Amino acid sequence: MVVGAMVLVVLLFSLRSLSVLWTDQLWFSSLGLSNVFSTLLWIKVGLGVAFGVAFFVALFANLLLGDRFGARDLGFDQEDELVRRFQDLVRPYARRVYALVAVVVGAIAGISATGQWNNYLLFANARNFGSKDPLYHKDLGFYIFRLPFVSFVVNWALASLAVVLIITAGVHYLNGGIRTARGSVRVAANVKVHLSILLAGIAVLKAVGYVIARWQLVTSSNGYVQGAGYSDVHARIPALTILFYLSLAAAAILLYNIRARGWSLPALALGLWLVVALVLGVAYPALLQTFSVSPDQKNHELNYIQRNITATRTAFNLNHVVTHQFQAASTITASQVRASAGTLSNIRLWDPATNIALETVQRRQAIRAYYAFTTLGVDRYMLNGKETPVLIGARQLFQAGLPSNSWVNQHLVYTHGNGAAILVANQVDSNTGNPIFALDNVPPVSSEGLPNLTQPGIYFGINMKGWVVANSQQREINYERGSGHSNGSIVASHYAGTGGVKVGGFLQQAAFALRFGDYKFFVSNQITPKSRILFVRDVRSMAQKAAPFLSWDQHPYAVVADGHVKFVLDGYTTTSNYPYSEDAFNQSVPSDNGLPSSYNYVRNSVKLVVDAYDGSMKFYAADPNDPILQAYRGAFPKMFRPISDMAAAVRSHLRYPSDLFAIQAATLGRYHIQSASSFFLASDRWEVSPTAGAGDPKTLLKHTKVFNSSG
């Protein structure tokens, strides 16, 4: 009964996982991204199977050898009750038991490899950067594309062989090849041979690991700045080289032990390795740093600081920043004011901050309780023939404000927002003090020469949660006229777009019901096979799901173009393996951004445009020269379009991404100093203003970061 219940639970969870996988595939297909889904899926499956099978073969083969060697030693009397029970109960079914153990542990080992899908993707589509690191003179692509996956393979193999060794030794014990009697341990000769071979394999892999560790020093954080410093170059690299040869010597000794079949030589090799690893690998670099480098850090580290400056400025794309000197003056003349009239007239009077313009727009333009503006973007539009600064926000559905939270209302009737609001940022109504709108109301009305919004439906937007079914039997509310329902003022229609996924037939509908855990979806007679289910509606979630190998800016922004509302997102390629570049974590970067927690190279390589009505996604290569993007384009050749293919009406509204600006500004605060000696003193370091344009500019910095504790 219990077993049956467990099987049923496992089956139900498996069905739900399969339903999620299938509906995800349908989602990718609906966006024309089937190749992305299949490529990522098969890479994960392939890694899991390849590494799982490799571990299974290694473990099962060694267990069979252990069984064979142990079988020859069964004549010895065994005092261990565990051994006797194993021989009586398990030995007759040994092969089956070994196979089961190898399958279970192999599955775990295979699953651990699936997380390396991105490293493998870059490894398989590696490109050259066209420049070399200053230490080993290898192309930077080696460290960014090849080394991470190779390092994982070696470390995985080392850990796997160690696990195989432990399990194999345990089987030898249970089979009588290793015996404990009266406080002494006796090991059969064949077992010594077997274990020596495994230990030799571990020693060889450890030697390879030392080679990789030498290469990885180009991103070391042991010195004053990131990258191999004085102690790394003069102590750790020589130590790792010695340990490499020592590991190979240990492997040779262990292989020789196949003939000698004793433990003296392996013990000597292991002891020597431990002593050298501690003395040369740990103690000597620490002593050199403490007694030689730190007292005279400036002179020891200058060369490596200069490498770090050069690499960091390149990795964060700061080499083309132009600085200008401005003379401060406490007074200005009338002629200076007249000469700057164009600039002064464009100064924003409305700030997009939550407690300023956004609050005002929400109060005046939400219109209904079930509409809301989540953010306002800063943009510029041609109004009355003149380029004018504006604030723009999409009027999205706010489900918490629905008049009734019934299932039909939440999922079938109130499915979308309506239009957008565009207010003139540099003007104010002189009579009321309110903003002047160039696009407002429901249904949307354009003025100031702004083109009409011909498709105002907002089915996809910023922070939109949950799922809805469009084009069901139930008409969807577009907007209401007047003050309520009593006068028949509701304007409703059926969705005519291609967004989301068709509900389809019985199996497909059942899969969606399983995914959402909602039986009403399955039994509702309002939902037809032609209905479309929209279940990923937040544009950032859409971007992350479609392109999980990119990082996405935290601030998508709305654009009115070609009669539709569209959202523009900035995608970044990043890596934490750029030689000698400083990690962004060390730069006092604001935490509210969409970039990874650790990276030392970034490019705004991708622009994504999402249509708010049909959810179509178009990826554009904004920086086609970025080698990381080139690798992804190699993996997904049909995904990224040239930026020249972007509609002019959208391209004219592209802006510099805020997350990238934040990290570049923070990094430039230190790395505008290009002299290593001046950088070490850090006397000309800049700090980014603590205010983003709203609030008291005299506000103190939240914290001060010390970069040079010894200077």
Side-chain angles (χ1 to χ4, degrees):
M1 189 71 177
V2 175
V3 174
M6 292 178 63
V7 170
L8 182 61
V9 170
V10 171
L11 181 62
L12 287 175
F13 275 104
S14 298
L15 285 176
R16 189 179 186 282
S17 298
L18 289 174
S19 71
V20 170
L21 184 66
W22 184 22
T23 51
D24 276 348
Q25 186 273 328
L26 294 172
W27 183 81
F28 275 88
S29 295
S30 71
L31 294 166
L33 299 173
S34 298
N35 175 255
V36 177
F37 177 84
S38 60
T39 299
L40 294 179
L41 176 63
W42 288 117
I43 285 177
K44 294 175 184 178
V45 171
L47 288 173
V49 171
F51 283 85
V53 168
F55 189 94
F56 169 83
V57 170
L59 180 57
F60 189 55
N62 280 278
L63 291 179
L64 291 180
L65 286 173
D67 187 66
R68 180 181 178 185
F69 293 156
R72 299 179 181 180
D73 301 306
L74 293 178
F76 292 96
D77 294 333
Q78 290 294 333
E79 299 179 0
D80 195 316
E81 180 67 22
L82 178 62
V83 174
R84 284 199 298 268
R85 287 184 177 273
F86 178 84
Q87 295 299 324
D88 293 338
L89 300 176
V90 178
R91 188 59 186 273
Y93 313 100
R95 283 178 174 267
R96 298 177 189 176
V97 173
Y98 296 158
L100 179 61
V101 170
V103 166
V104 172
V105 184
I108 296 172
I111 290 172
S112 70
T114 59
Q116 293 295 313
W117 62 267
N118 192 40
N119 282 338
Y120 175 78
L121 192 69
L122 293 175
F123 175 84
N125 297 277
R127 300 292 191 272
N128 287 331
F129 265 70
S131 56
K132 298 180 179 180
D133 77 281
L135 184 60
Y136 298 113
H137 307 292
K138 293 180 176 292
D139 187 272
L140 302 185
F142 168 78
Y143 302 97
I144 292 168
F145 297 117
R146 297 177 177 86
L147 189 58
F149 186 70
V150 171
S151 175
F152 165 76
V153 171
V154 172
N155 289 332
W156 181 91
L158 182 62
S160 297
L161 201 55
V163 171
V164 169
L165 173 67
I166 293 170
I167 296 176
T168 302
V171 168
H172 277 306
Y173 173 78
L174 294 173
N175 276 332
I178 300 175
R179 297 178 298 280
T180 57
R182 300 179 182 87
S184 64
V185 179
R186 290 184 296 168
V187 182
N190 287 340
V191 174
K192 289 181 181 179
V193 171
H194 190 186
L195 298 183
S196 293
I197 293 173
L198 290 176
L199 286 169
I202 290 175
V204 170
L205 287 171
K206 193 63 182 174
V208 178
Y210 285 131
V211 175
I212 291 174
R214 291 176 75 252
W215 290 330
Q216 289 175 332
L217 286 175
V218 294
T219 54
S220 163
S221 56
N222 297 316
Y224 180 78
V225 290
Q226 198 157 337
Y230 186 90
S231 296
D232 293 319
V233 173
H234 292 85
R236 290 186 177 87
I237 289 178
L240 290 169
T241 302
I242 293 172
L243 287 169
F244 165 75
Y245 288 110
L246 191 59
S247 295
L248 292 181
I253 291 173
L254 287 163
L255 291 176
Y256 177 77
N257 193 54
I258 295 173
R259 182 176 180 180
R261 300 189 179 186
W263 292 116
S264 299
L265 287 176
L268 177 64
L270 179 61
L272 181 61
W273 175 82
L274 284 173
V275 170
V276 174
L278 289 173
V279 173
L280 292 183
V282 179
Y284 177 57
L287 292 172
L288 182 66
Q289 182 71 31
T290 302
F291 295 104
S292 179
V293 178
S294 294
D296 191 19
Q297 194 171 33
K298 180 180 178 182
N299 289 327
H300 280 90
E301 298 282 13
L302 278 185
N303 182 43
Y304 308 106
I305 292 173
Q306 193 63 57
R307 292 178 179 180
N308 174 266
I309 293 172
T310 302
T312 304
R313 288 179 60 85
T314 302
F316 288 91
N317 208 16
L318 299 176
N319 285 331
H320 305 294
V321 174
V322 178
T323 59
H324 298 278
Q325 299 292 331
F326 295 94
Q327 295 297 324
S330 58
T331 60
I332 57 174
T333 64
S335 61
Q336 288 175 316
V337 173
R338 286 193 295 271
S340 304
T343 300
L344 294 173
S345 65
N346 282 324
I347 294 176
R348 289 201 314 265
L349 300 178
W350 292 99
D351 193 281
T354 303
N355 60 344
I356 304 177
L358 181 59
E359 184 179 285
T360 302
V361 171
Q362 175 66 24
R363 186 173 61 252
R364 298 189 62 79
Q365 282 298 311
I367 311 295
R368 301 290 176 183
Y370 48 81
Y371 290 141
F373 293 86
T374 56
T375 61
L376 291 179
V378 178
D379 209 331
R380 63 275 186 206
Y381 281 79
M382 295 299 294
L383 301 181
N384 295 323
K386 181 181 179 182
E387 190 174 65
T388 306
V390 302
L391 301 182
I392 177 173
R395 186 182 292 101
Q396 299 182 175
L397 182 69
F398 178 56
Q399 285 204 330
L402 296 183
S404 170
N405 285 323
S406 67
W407 187 89
V408 172
N409 272 357
Q410 287 184 350
H411 298 296
L412 306 182
V413 176
Y414 292 91
T415 58
H416 60 283
N418 196 301
I422 296 179
L423 64 92
V424 183
N426 61 345
Q427 296 178 30
V428 65
D429 190 317
S430 57
N431 295 321
T432 64
N434 290 321
I436 296 173
F437 288 94
L439 178 64
D440 60 352
N441 293 332
V442 178
V445 177
S446 299
S447 58
E448 308 291 330
L450 194 70
N452 290 327
L453 192 58
T454 57
Q455 181 45 263
I458 309 295
Y459 285 82
F460 303 86
I462 299 173
N463 296 329
M464 292 183 72
K465 307 298 182 183
W467 55 271
V468 297
V469 179
N471 192 31
S472 66
Q473 300 279 31
Q474 189 75 42
R475 288 166 63 85
E476 304 156 43
I477 289 182
N478 290 329
Y479 59 90
E480 299 177 52
R481 294 192 184 96
S483 58
H485 297 251
S486 58
N487 57 359
S489 58
I490 296 176
V491 176
S493 65
H494 290 289
Y495 182 64
T498 57
V501 179
K502 276 188 178 181
V503 171
F506 174 83
L507 288 178
Q508 202 160 296
Q509 191 169 353
F512 280 115
L514 271 174
R515 180 183 184 121
F516 303 127
D518 192 333
Y519 75 93
K520 292 180 181 178
F521 178 87
F522 188 65
V523 301
S524 174
N525 59 6
Q526 300 292 315
I527 299 174
T528 72
K530 293 184 179 180
S531 299
R532 307 191 73 89
I533 180 163
L534 285 56
F535 59 98
V536 187
R537 298 193 295 155
D538 170 49
V539 291
R540 285 196 79 250
S541 298
M542 293 171 68
Q544 194 63 50
K545 191 177 186 68
F549 42 84
L550 299 175
S551 298
W552 294 96
D553 197 276
Q554 194 77 348
H555 308 93
Y557 53 97
V559 170
V560 172
D562 301 326
H564 285 228
V565 176
K566 301 176 186 289
F567 289 93
V568 178
L569 296 88
D570 289 284
Y572 304 106
T573 50
T574 62
T575 182
S576 57
N577 300 306
Y578 195 97
Y580 275 98
S581 177
E582 196 72 19
D583 197 285
F585 179 78
N586 302 326
Q587 310 295 343
S588 299
V589 181
S591 58
D592 59 336
N593 64 73
L595 290 160
S597 58
S598 177
Y599 61 98
N600 63 1
Y601 170 95
V602 61
R603 288 292 186 273
N604 175 215
S605 299
V606 176
K607 301 284 186 181
L608 169 61
V609 179
V610 181
D611 192 292
Y613 179 68
D614 61 25
S616 60
M617 304 175 71
K618 295 180 180 178
F619 295 83
Y620 297 94
D623 186 356
N625 296 320
D626 172 36
I628 299 181
L629 178 61
Q630 290 173 359
Y632 289 132
R633 295 185 81 174
F636 311 109
K638 297 181 180 180
M639 186 173 188
F640 301 98
R641 311 175 185 209
I643 195 71
S644 57
D645 287 356
M646 183 184 291
V650 177
R651 193 163 63 247
S652 63
H653 294 285
L654 296 181
R655 69 186 190 191
Y656 204 82
S658 55
D659 287 353
L660 180 62
F661 181 80
I663 175 57
Q664 287 182 318
T667 305
L668 190 64
R670 292 180 69 193
Y671 286 89
H672 73 279
I673 307 171
Q674 299 188 52
S675 163
S677 57
S678 299
F679 185 94
F680 181 84
L681 297 174
S683 58
D684 192 27
R685 189 178 69 249
W686 297 341
E687 293 284 358
V688 179
S689 171
T691 174
D696 184 2
K698 297 180 181 179
T699 303
L700 294 175
L701 288 168
K702 294 181 180 178
H703 66 277
T704 300
K705 190 175 183 71
V706 177
F707 293 100
N708 182 9
S709 57
S710 62

